[in-house]
Amino acid sequence: MLTDNSHPDFNFLFRTIVLNSQAINYILDKDGVFLLSEGRALESLGLNPGQVVGTNALEMYALFPDVVTMLKRSLAGESCRGVFEVNGVFFDNLMNPLFDDDGNVEFVIGISTDITARVLYAEKLETSERQFRSIIESSPTGVHVYELDDQGRLILKAANRTSDAMLGIQTSEKIGKSIEEAFPLLVDTEIPRRYLEAARDGVDWHTEQIDYDDERISGAFDVYAFQIRPGAMAAFFLEITEQIRSREEIRKLNENLEEKVRERTRDLEEARDKLVESEKMSSLGRLVAGVAHEINTPVGVCKTGISYIEELVQSLRDRFNNDELTLEDFNETLDSLAESAASSHKSIDQAASLIRSFKNVAVDQTRSASRQFSLKAYIEEVLLSLHNRLKTTSCDIVLECPEDLIVETDPGAIFQIVTNLVLNTLAHGLNDGVCGTILINITKRRNRIRMIYSDDGPGLDEEGRRSIFEPFYTTKRDIGGTGLGMHIVYNLVTQTLHGEISCPESPDRGFLCVINF
């Protein structure tokens, strides 16, 4: 008897358990013939429960030597356990013999559990670990693996070849030692604590620089530590001594370059300032030349008139002394004298007006000081000082400005701005005898002055609008353009007047400049 089946429900319960088992439950007689074959795992072999009953197991598995060997051992009276593969399915097989009263094997009871999934997983895991070890070994970074022992110490368990080459040691000498024993100088750093947190708590850690220097290891290292499983961690490290040295050299080089750039910038700024001042003085020189030329005309007329008066007086005296003077001659002479005197007086007034305007703008040019003045009257004086340049062109200037607009600012800046804008138009827009009009429209909005300067010349292209205020930008360098005129205007508006200036696209295609201050 295999079991005590005196309980009325025993056979039913036994049958239920065997039929629903996830393993294969089988019984062999002393010759190896199946007496029982049940369990759901038979499906993995393509068999049904009871299908092989009456079949000799030794013959059935004759092509599987491992199975046959285990069967023979069990039939000989040995309890056996082993893993074997049948048609791609892996089984964990347990065989126990049962003996009769004479001690001979009467039956063999066996249980075979399908462990295919576990075996495949183990193979994948082994393959993965093998690949991981290969990657670690070929890694260009050093790798150390630590595990916690029973006392909670970090014990060095493994290291790759790169770490040996990087540290210049045989790490195998340190395997099995605690981190403090293997690398004593690390005790005074945060590494032991960080490694412990990584292994025990799974806290990743990275530091850009750890310095180590003893009789065998010298250098700076970038370190990254992380948990590979509870109680174990890996540290990846890379020597960065040369990088730090290079970084320091680059930093010093950058400092030197920055100082050289600052020096060059100062030199360029000084050169620019000198050029700007030179341009201003050149502008003043042109103003002096122009005013001198303008004064020559009324002074010449005045000199001619005075010479004519002297001749008339001498003629009148001669005729009077010779008793040749008639009343008619006397009256004609008086009329001529009055005419010449009036013409001379007019010319003197014109010269005085020019000199007065020149004095105002010349003083404002050479002295930077704010004062109150009528903006319209002052711009008219500026335009008068430019008359010598304007009279040789076909250009008209229209000034639209309220008569009562009084401003308090630096008049020299206003002079330079208006002068450079007009000269810019004469050089670029309305040159070569082109007829045109310059419009200067000035309005006051709250406490701000808006000046809109425009002409009906060809205007600016996109590059010109983008670059017009840059120093030395000019399209007339071949005929002596310096590229400083509009740069001076920009600086005067933004720095002296604390305003804004722009050159938007003109709807009328000409040049347009908007100034607010």
Side-chain angles (χ1 to χ4, degrees), residues 76-281:
E78 183 182 347
S79 292
C80 301
R81 183 171 185 175
V83 175
F84 55 82
E85 177 188 1
V86 177
N87 298 331
V89 182
F90 291 88
F91 290 94
D92 182 1
N93 193 55
L94 177 63
M95 296 181 183
N96 285 316
L98 294 179
F99 302 92
D100 59 17
D101 295 339
D102 296 328
N104 298 316
V105 174
E106 187 175 6
F107 302 101
V108 172
I109 298 176
I111 298 177
S112 294
T113 304
D114 185 350
I115 59 169
T116 305
R118 190 168 65 195
V119 170
L120 293 178
Y121 176 77
E123 289 179 350
K124 288 182 180 178
L125 184 61
E126 183 180 353
T127 301
S128 177
E129 289 180 351
R130 188 166 54 251
Q131 292 173 342
F132 177 74
R133 284 194 297 270
S134 175
I135 291 172
I136 292 301
E137 281 299 326
S138 60
S139 172
T141 62
V143 182
H144 283 175
V145 177
Y146 290 86
E147 289 185 4
L148 291 173
D149 66 5
D150 296 338
Q151 288 79 40
R153 299 184 308 162
L154 281 169
I155 306 299
L156 182 63
K157 289 294 185 179
N160 67 346
R161 290 189 297 270
T162 304
S163 69
D164 287 357
M166 192 178 296
L167 300 177
I169 61 174
Q170 289 294 325
T171 315
S172 58
E173 301 173 1
K174 299 179 180 291
I175 297 296
K177 294 182 179 181
S178 68
I179 187 171
E180 293 84 2
E181 294 169 339
F183 306 103
L185 293 185
L186 290 181
V187 174
D188 296 328
T189 72
E190 61 180 323
I191 280 188
R193 177 173 62 85
R194 296 292 190 175
Y195 281 15
L196 182 64
E197 291 175 350
R200 184 187 61 203
D201 306 322
V203 179
D204 293 354
W205 175 69
H206 172 250
T207 182
E208 292 185 352
Q209 183 175 341
I210 284 289
D211 297 316
Y212 195 96
D213 189 4
D214 64 12
E215 69 278 1
R216 300 181 65 183
I217 303 171
S218 178
F221 301 89
D222 184 301
V223 183
Y224 178 64
F226 61 97
Q227 187 184 66
I228 55 177
R229 57 180 170 78
M233 56 79 59
F236 284 66
F237 54 91
L238 183 67
E239 185 177 4
I240 55 173
T241 309
E242 288 300 322
Q243 295 177 11
I244 291 174
R245 186 179 296 115
S246 299
R247 207 156 50 210
E248 182 63 20
E249 291 175 355
I250 291 172
R251 184 187 65 79
K252 291 180 180 179
L253 179 61
N254 285 338
E255 287 179 355
N256 293 334
L257 285 175
E258 288 174 1
E259 182 57 32
K260 289 181 180 179
V261 168
R262 283 193 291 269
E263 290 177 2
R264 297 293 184 269
T265 302
R266 283 195 297 269
D267 292 343
L268 288 173
E269 287 176 347
E270 289 176 4
R272 184 196 64 187
D273 292 342
K274 289 179 181 178
L275 284 171
V276 168
E277 288 302 316
S278 174
E279 183 70 15
K280 288 183 179 179
M281 296 308 296

Side-chain angles (χ1 to χ4, degrees), residues 420-436:
N420 280 302
L421 287 173
V422 171
L423 295 180
N424 189 69
T425 291
L426 297 182
H428 299 276
L430 303 177
N431 54 353
D432 299 330
V434 177
C435 297

